[in-house]
Amino acid sequence: MSPFLPYGRQVIEDDDIAAVVDALRGEYLTTGPRVAQFERALAETTGAKHAVACANGTAALHLAARALNLGPGTATIVPAITFLATANAVRLNGGDVIFADVDPNSGLMRPQDLAEALARAPGETANAVFNVHLAGQCGDLAGIRAIARDHHLRIVEDACHAVGTTYTSHNTELCRVGDNSFSDLTCFSFHPVKTIAMGEGGAVTTNDETLARILALDRSHGMTRDTADFVQPDEAFGDDREAYPWYYEMQTPGLNYRIPDILCALGLSQLKKLARFANRRRELTARYDRELARLSPHVTPLARTPNVNAAWHLYVALIDFRALHTDRASVMRKLASQGIGTQVHYFPVYRQPYYRDIDPQLTLPGADEYYRRTLSLPLFPSMSDEDPARVIDALATALKL
Ligand SMILES: *Cc1c(COP(=O)(O)O)cnc(C)c1O
């Protein structure tokens, strides 16, 4: 029997291992030279001016919420189909979350969904929107920005699925996810299941130098040793006007969300492979699309955004289980018995008990409809050319199609 196919997994090669071993033999295990090297490489890859690496994607989102002061008395729009961390990043900082609906066929927040969510912001003006590039593709970024501008919203992209994704905007200019053409900040995750792996790892990119400085300070306790930052010269400098060698200063308390040098060694090595991994994900996605066509209309791929060249993180099939007189759990179990792992991305976050308690009346029909049909099939670069056909054959059998 063929080896078990999980829905996603990392690809670690000998040179990745050698890079990590090299870091382990070096001077620094925590913040060393590879952190800044990784940040430079990521900024170059994404086309952003600045990249701030941090502990994981959740930390990246939390740092973003803090840098934009999304605390008590603020409201942030978050699409209902995402991982918990997108909404929690705002809540953990004391800001309110207003969930937006999504397109039932792509899982992406549309401009009209953002407008509808804004109309629900009760007696308060919203401050920001966290947009999510589900499965690796982005939606109508220009449309989202137009509404955000009208309402003076800051824009954060949750691009944890979308490193390597490119798109052309209406003026046909080629943009890269992370270059912040349509946003203030972009957050990435380098969890092993994502497109490049660091074990745990994350980053925020921005073109705003002030935000980049805030993010970098907040990542490490809010402490600075840069003499130009010091606001207490009497405490900082001796009679010779030299800063005391032990002195550091903290003007706003921060966190320890640092990423170790060891993991940046892995990230640097993996980042070199991003184009190869992304292209392989696109090839496998094209194979899935061809195979899936014969299961139409009850099984369809995600609706695609024109002009987006996604570095697919997930291969999502939308399955009308009801029309096929079956249910998702039994299909997942049948596939698992055939050595095929699947997953659901995601249960609508607004239906989690914590958020239900905050807004028990809310229903978001697009998100619910998306959730009813979604199933993520195996997708990772080391899958074989034949795997998509094997998966779709097994799916067709499980669905009695
Ligand atoms: C993975 C993920 C996160 C969190 O990233 P971690 O690195 O696991 O903390 C946030 N948002 C989305 C959409 C994700 O897929």
Side-chain angles (χ1 to χ4, degrees), residues 241-321:
R241 298 196 182 166
E242 290 287 319
Y244 295 127
W246 65 83
Y247 188 77
Y248 51 80
E249 208 163 81
M250 188 273 290
Q251 291 146 25
T252 306
L255 301 149
N256 178 353
Y257 276 171
R258 293 187 305 259
I259 177 96
D261 220 44
I262 307 166
L263 298 183
C264 286
L266 181 56
L268 272 164
S269 179
Q270 290 261 302
L271 206 49
K272 289 185 198 136
K273 308 173 183 198
L274 175 60
R276 170 159 61 96
F277 287 174
N279 283 333
R280 182 65 185 153
R281 286 171 173 278
R282 291 179 181 117
E283 274 169 23
L284 291 163
T285 294
R287 285 176 182 271
Y288 266 125
D289 285 349
R290 283 199 293 278
E291 297 293 333
L292 209 63
R294 64 188 157 96
L295 307 191
S296 168
H298 293 311
V299 186
T300 53
L302 279 185
R304 303 296 163 80
T305 311
N307 308 324
V308 174
N309 187 18
W312 293 101
H313 161 55
L314 298 173
Y315 190 85
V316 175
L318 296 175
I319 304 170
D320 191 344
F321 295 97

Side-chain angles (χ1 to χ4, degrees), residues 2-3 5 280 284 287-288 291 340 378 380 382-393:
S2 313
L5 289 176
R280 182 65 185 153
L284 291 163
R287 285 176 182 271
Y288 266 125
E291 297 293 333
I340 296 166
F380 50 92
S382 57
M383 279 171 66
S384 77
D385 284 350
E386 291 71 39
D387 282 332
R390 170 161 86 89
V391 171
I392 298 304
D393 283 346

Side-chain angles (χ1 to χ4, degrees), residues 56-59 61 82-83 85-86 132 158 160-161 189-191 194 200-201 346:
N56 51 60
T58 304
L61 290 159
T82 184
F83 184 54
T86 323
V132 176
D158 180 341
C160 289
H161 292 187
S189 166
F190 307 114
H191 181 283
K194 311 290 165 78
E200 297 279 357
Y346 293 96

Side-chain angles (χ1 to χ4, degrees), residues 298-354:
H298 293 311
V299 186
T300 53
L302 279 185
R304 303 296 163 80
T305 311
N307 308 324
V308 174
N309 187 18
W312 293 101
H313 161 55
L314 298 173
Y315 190 85
V316 175
L318 296 175
I319 304 170
D320 191 344
F321 295 97
R322 217 182 283 164
L324 294 165
H325 307 290
T326 183
D327 66 278
R328 182 162 47 202
S330 54
V331 170
M332 286 178 77
R333 288 187 195 110
K334 278 185 203 157
L335 290 171
S337 75
Q338 301 296 306
I340 296 166
T342 55
Q343 195 44 273
V344 171
H345 300 95
Y346 293 96
F347 178 68
V349 183
Y350 84 97
R351 286 162 58 181
Q352 290 289 348
Y354 174 82

